Amino acid sequence: MTARDNALLGFLYQFITDDRKQRFEEVLDYRTRHLTVVLEDIFQPHNASAVLRSCDLTGVQDIHIVENNYTFDINPDVVMGSTKWLDIHRYNELDFNTPVVIDQLKAKGYQIVATCPHRDDFTPETLPLDQPVALVFGTEKTGVTDYVMDHADRFVRIPMYGFTESFNISVSAALLVYTLTRRLHEMTDLDWRLSEEEKEEVRLEWARRTLNRIRQYERKFKELHPEL
């Protein structure tokens, strides 16, 4: 956070209710980047939007959306405003964008974990969490691409006991992120929460997204603090 950002946060907080600021802190206490979700070329807007809602409800802050063949259209009736509180990163500048997100996440120390019903490496209860986890979900019909399968560090599957081959993506994501975040909450020896610097950055973004006519507030701030 720059000096300007810190000052802007203080300015904007004057116009946010105490109840909303308290709610920010309650939610921030469970926000994490130790676990992140990658949606690779998802074309079902209803189910994919439900994944975003599950991420917000379980505390996953960052969602990475890879648009190779399909543009991800968020369904507002499904997300129920959850996108307002998430950091959504889109990858759509190339014909095939999957390597970009995989390389970026690996450079940040994430283990790439492909969700696959046909691999028995780990279950949600046994997947190692000592290293940050990037869960990659593919389309319901074909799953993740061969590139993800070839570059994944680990694989995770949800045990199933019926005839149907797999859960749909929204159910799979909900089960996985719920189980993994619950496990994180129980790990007292792992620093899975956002850092204080990250919390300040998120507070600023949430303040911006909370206030209507934010551009007017920022213009007023600039008038009051031309030195910044």
Side-chain angles (χ1 to χ4, degrees), residues 23 27 30-31 50-60 78-80 82 85-86 177-178 181 185:
R23 186 61 180 148
V27 174
Y30 287 94
R31 271 316 203 239
V51 175
L52 304 187
R53 186 171 172 180
S54 294
C55 287
D56 173 49
L57 290 171
T58 54
V60 177
V78 176
V79 296
M80 296 292 288
S82 59
W85 314 113
L86 300 171
V177 297
Y178 179 80
T181 53
H185 298 168

Side-chain angles (χ1 to χ4, degrees), residues 158-220:
I158 301 170
M160 293 169 288
Y161 308 99
F163 291 104
T164 311
E165 181 178 275
S166 63
F167 294 104
N168 69 35
I169 183 176
S170 61
V171 174
S172 295
L175 289 170
L176 278 163
V177 297
Y178 179 80
T179 302
L180 295 178
T181 53
R182 289 293 295 175
R183 287 180 57 200
L184 287 177
H185 298 168
E186 296 169 358
M187 299 176 71
T188 58
D189 59 340
L190 182 68
D191 188 12
W192 54 268
R193 289 181 168 87
L194 298 181
S195 67
E196 288 305 315
E197 175 73 12
E198 288 174 318
K199 286 182 179 180
E200 284 288 270
E201 292 170 353
V202 172
R203 284 188 190 101
L204 178 56
E205 285 306 308
W206 286 357
R208 282 179 165 141
R209 298 169 190 176
T210 294
L211 294 169
N212 294 325
R213 301 185 301 276
I214 183 59
R215 291 184 180 178
Q216 294 183 23
Y217 285 101
E218 292 186 329
R219 281 198 297 269
K220 183 62 175 179

Side-chain angles (χ1 to χ4, degrees), residues 126-153:
T126 62
L127 180 69
L129 297 177
D130 54 321
Q131 181 182 348
V133 172
L135 282 176
V136 186
F137 296 89
T139 64
E140 290 182 5
K141 185 175 182 180
T142 60
V144 298
T145 58
D146 289 341
Y147 187 92
V148 172
M149 295 295 287
D150 291 341
H151 291 80
D153 301 298

Side-chain angles (χ1 to χ4, degrees), residues 84-97:
K84 187 176 184 178
W85 314 113
L86 300 171
D87 290 335
I88 298 176
H89 311 272
R90 291 179 181 262
Y91 303 80
N92 52 24
E93 294 184 357
L94 306 174
D95 291 334
F96 187 58
N97 299 278

